[in-house]
């Protein structure tokens, strides 16, 4: 048995080039070989234009310069997601990045805010979040050293053009020794440990010790060759189509993704520096394709910059993400609608876990494969529960939304809702992506039921809590005044010479 020395990535796009860039940077210096096979004739889906803060950790590991990345991808900053109309028409809330408030006399801010809110003594949750208020005001700043000020712990991520991002990662990967092979996979040759080689249409045979399937919805290796199986979640997340179209950019883009509910699903709006990304996600059982196309075109600002594009999808994941000597990433591994901008994060997470569990020898020990599949299945399931909660907690009148409000929900979400109802408590599971702050923003924004406050709150007087909440709100207001406008930050980055 020998350690994997040759890794073959099948498929480009964001998933393929992110995997190649990471594996090339980490394993090429020790003599490993990373080859990526892709065909210019096969288009990528490219809808992952909004991200969440963990992408910054990935970029730091890759040694990516933030400003250079933003210039190359038409990127902008993102401080959260604005949900519009998810409860009732005209209502909106923000799921912000970063911290909301601070502990009050040793007790959790969330618990004390909820107690005060139930008693009519607190403002809406957004008032205590610098990221939420900065996003609404069109302001942005990277964290600055300023003691315990909210300015020192600003949370943010990015919006960017997925096609440009893949090209940026390709350049980065090739500079770290990754070899690209142009060609269409015509045949996958089975082997004793899973896959022996992939054969291209021009007759080329490409072989490796470990294969990464980034071939998109086609899943040529993990499903086509290895029949890993599919875990279907359409009963919980029935939206199965999206129509997308770009429109002109905003003069002063907000550092927020917008998620706007409509009668049979929701619509995204993602501001880039050179255009705006738009998409309408819907259930085909409740809305026809042509009606969805018209609804999207009617909703965008300005004229469309291209013809609308229809994407069909199924929600779920492979029963086995890792099978034999093949690991699936991106759309080959699974799909969940981009409601919380998790698509690229799941690619990143899959790479991170692969690197941590890289087999010391081939064939891969079964314990490694079993653990990887268990960890990734759990991560998908916990994100699924967070998405389902958006649909479950609604008071819209349309048939689609009434069905979602009354449909069965996963056990994990049912437990979360029951615990919140019984005292406003939120518990984060091990390695869960969304923390207590994220769940609080969702529960508060969509009016989740709560019967009583956490008894720990009674250790602090209501008057003191009221005073501290007012103080926190004033600190956030003062911090906001020190932040420049988002458009100014983008202009400064654009004006700097490329390195």
């Amino acid at each position: 048995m020998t350690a994997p020395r040759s890794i073959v990535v099948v498929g480009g796009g964001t998933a393929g080039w992110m995997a190649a860039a990471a594996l090339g940077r980490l394993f090429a210096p020790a003599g490993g070989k990373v080859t990526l096979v892709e065909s210019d004739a096969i288009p990528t889906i490219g809808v992952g234009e909004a991200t969440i803060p963990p992408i910054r950790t990935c970029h730091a590991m890759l040694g990516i310069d933030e400003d250079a990345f933003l210039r190359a991808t038409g990127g902008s900053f993102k401080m959260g997601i604005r949900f519009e109309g998810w409860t009732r028409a005209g209502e909106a809330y923000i799921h912000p990045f970063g911290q909301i408030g601070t502990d009050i006399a040793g007790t959790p801010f969330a618990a004390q805010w909820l107690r005060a809110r139930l008693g009519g003594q607190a403002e809406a949750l957004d008032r205590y979040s610098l990221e939420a208020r900065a996003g609404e005001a069109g302001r942005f700043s990277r964290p600055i050293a300023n003691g315990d000020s909210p300015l020192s712990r600003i949370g943010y991520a990015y919006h960017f053009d997925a096609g440009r991002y893949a090209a940026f990662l390709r350049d980065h990967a090739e500079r770290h020794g990754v070899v690209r092979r142009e060609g269409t996979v015509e045949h996958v040759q089975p082997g004793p440990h899973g896959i022996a080689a992939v054969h291209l249409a021009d007759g080329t045979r490409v072989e490796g010790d470990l294969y990464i399937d980034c071939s998109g919805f086609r899943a040529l290796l993990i499903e086509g060759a290895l029949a890993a199986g599919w875990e279907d979640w359409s009963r919980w997340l029935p939206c199965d189509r999206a129509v997308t179209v770009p429109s002109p950019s905003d003069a002063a883009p907000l550092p927020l993704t917008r998620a706007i509910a409509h009668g049979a699903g929701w619509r995204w709006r993602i501001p880039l520096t050179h255009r705006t990304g738009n998409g309408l996600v819907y259930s085909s059982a409740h809305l026809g394709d042509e009606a969805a196309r018209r609804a999207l075109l009617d909703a965008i600002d300005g004229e469309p910059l291209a013809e609308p594009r229809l994407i069909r999808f199924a929600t779920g994941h492979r029963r086995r993400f890792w099978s034999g000597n093949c690991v699936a990433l991106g759309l080959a591994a699974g799909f969940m609608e981009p409601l919380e901008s998790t698509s690229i994060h799941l690619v990143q997470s899959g790479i991170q876990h692969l690197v941590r569990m890289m087999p010391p020898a081939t064939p891969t020990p079964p314990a490694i494969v079993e653990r990887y599949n268990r960890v990734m299945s759990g991560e998908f399931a916990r994100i699924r529960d967070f998405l389902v909660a958006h649909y479950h907690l609604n008071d819209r009148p349309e048939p689609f939304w009434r069905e979602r409000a009354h449909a069965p929900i996963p056990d994990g979400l049912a437990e979360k809702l029951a615990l919140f109802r019984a005292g406003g408590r939120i518990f984060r599971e091990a390695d869960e992506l969304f923390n207590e702050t994220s769940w609080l923003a969702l529960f508060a924004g969509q009016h989740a039921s709560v019967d009583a406050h956490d008894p720990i709150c009674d250790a602090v007087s209501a008057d003191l809590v009221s005073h501290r909440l007012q103080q926190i709100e004033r600190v956030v207001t003062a911090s906001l005044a020190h932040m420049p406008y988002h458009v100014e930050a983008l202009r400064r980055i654009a004006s700097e010479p490329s390195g």
Side-chain angles (χ1 to χ4, degrees), residues 244-255:
T244 68
V245 71
S247 62
S249 59
D250 296 333
L254 297 180

Side-chain angles (χ1 to χ4, degrees), residues 186-210:
E186 191 171 75
H187 170 63
V188 180
Q189 178 184 338
H193 305 308
I195 295 171
V198 293
H199 294 258
L200 308 186
D202 65 1
T204 303
R205 183 178 189 270
V206 183
E207 62 179 69
D209 301 313
L210 182 67

Side-chain angles (χ1 to χ4, degrees), residues 81-82 84 256-260 266-270 301:
I81 306 172
R82 190 175 198 268
E84 303 172 27
L256 292 172
T257 301
R258 292 175 63 194
I260 306 152
W266 63 282
R267 173 170 62 90
W268 76 72
R269 192 176 192 280
I270 298 172
D301 296 324

Side-chain angles (χ1 to χ4, degrees), residues 81-96:
I81 306 172
R82 190 175 198 268
F83 290 91
E84 303 172 27
W86 283 78
T87 48
R88 307 177 189 92
E91 287 193 356
Y93 72 94
I94 292 177
H95 170 194

Side-chain angles (χ1 to χ4, degrees), residues 121-475:
Q121 300 298 313
E123 301 286 343
L125 188 63
D126 291 354
R127 294 295 299 174
Y128 308 97
S129 164
L130 179 59
E131 288 81 358
R133 292 179 59 186
E136 291 273 39
R139 293 178 179 267
F140 174 79
S141 172
R142 293 180 172 112
I144 60 175
N146 192 23
D148 196 37
S149 163
L151 292 167
S152 66
R153 50 177 185 269
I154 293 171
Y156 69 93
Y158 316 107
H159 306 113
F160 52 73
D161 183 303
R164 293 186 182 187
Y165 184 56
F168 178 82
L169 289 175
R170 173 183 170 179
D171 178 70
H172 188 85
E174 291 181 325
R175 284 190 282 109
H176 285 86
V178 174
V179 175
R180 179 186 182 273
R181 298 295 297 269
E182 164 67 29
T184 302
V185 175
E186 191 171 75
H187 170 63
V188 180
Q189 178 184 338
H193 305 308
I195 295 171
V198 293
H199 294 258
L200 308 186
D202 65 1
T204 303
R205 183 178 189 270
V206 183
E207 62 179 69
D209 301 313
L210 182 67
Y211 293 83
I212 312 298
D213 188 347
C214 297
S215 62
F217 287 134
R218 295 172 300 147
L220 294 175
L221 279 60
I222 197 70
E223 192 62 42
L226 300 176
W230 179 256
E231 185 71 30
D232 182 75
W233 285 343
S234 59
R235 64 193 181 279
W236 288 314
L237 293 165
C239 287
D240 57 355
R241 299 197 183 171
V243 59
T244 68
V245 71
S247 62
S249 59
D250 296 333
L254 297 180
L256 292 172
T257 301
R258 292 175 63 194
I260 306 152
H262 66 81
W266 63 282
R267 173 170 62 90
W268 76 72
R269 192 176 192 280
I270 298 172
L272 309 178
T273 57
H274 62 298
R275 65 176 174 86
T276 299
N278 305 279
L280 190 133
V281 177
Y282 60 102
S283 162
S284 62
H286 298 82
L287 186 68
D289 295 342
E290 180 56 29
R293 179 182 179 276
R294 289 197 306 270
L296 178 60
L297 291 175
D298 287 345
I300 65 173
D301 296 324
E303 294 297 315
L305 301 181
E307 283 298 309
R309 181 182 182 192
L310 177 65
I311 301 168
R312 294 178 172 88
F313 60 84
T315 298
H317 66 80
R318 301 291 159 200
R319 289 204 173 101
R320 287 175 289 142
F321 297 88
W322 189 331
S323 181
N325 61 346
C326 176
V327 178
L329 294 173
L331 298 177
F335 182 81
M336 285 182 284
E337 60 196 74
L339 181 57
E340 285 282 354
S341 308
T342 53
S343 298
I344 291 176
H345 170 77
L346 284 167
V347 175
Q348 175 189 333
S349 180
I351 296 168
Q352 174 187 335
H353 289 301
L354 171 60
V355 168
R356 291 183 64 194
M357 302 181 204
M358 184 64 68
T362 55
T364 303
I368 290 178
V369 175
E370 291 167 7
R371 177 170 178 80
Y372 184 92
N373 287 330
R374 184 172 67 253
V375 168
M376 291 306 298
S377 293
E379 181 154 17
F380 266 75
R382 287 187 285 271
I383 293 173
R384 173 205 65 198
D385 289 356
F386 196 67
L387 302 189
V388 172
H390 292 74
Y391 288 101
H392 179 68
L393 297 169
N394 87 85
D395 195 28
R396 292 182 63 100
E398 299 92 342
F400 169 81
W401 291 97
R402 290 298 83 220
E403 290 174 18
R404 291 301 90 214
H406 295 104
I409 59 176
D411 291 344
L413 174 57
E415 180 185 77
K416 274 245 180 0
L417 287 165
L419 289 168
F420 187 74
R421 178 189 290 270
R425 298 181 179 92
I426 298 170
F427 298 96
R428 185 182 191 182
E429 303 301 326
D431 296 327
E432 184 175 2
L433 172 61
F434 294 109
N435 60 18
E436 294 90 341
T437 297
S438 294
W439 280 100
L440 178 65
L442 168 59
F443 285 166
Q446 297 201 210
H447 312 302
S449 297
V450 58
D451 293 334
H453 65 260
D454 188 333
I456 197 173
C457 295
D458 296 331
V460 185
S461 72
D463 287 344
L464 177 58
V465 170
S466 177
H467 172 73
R468 285 289 291 120
L469 288 173
Q470 293 173 34
Q471 187 178 46
I472 291 169
E473 196 275 339
R474 287 196 298 270
V475 169

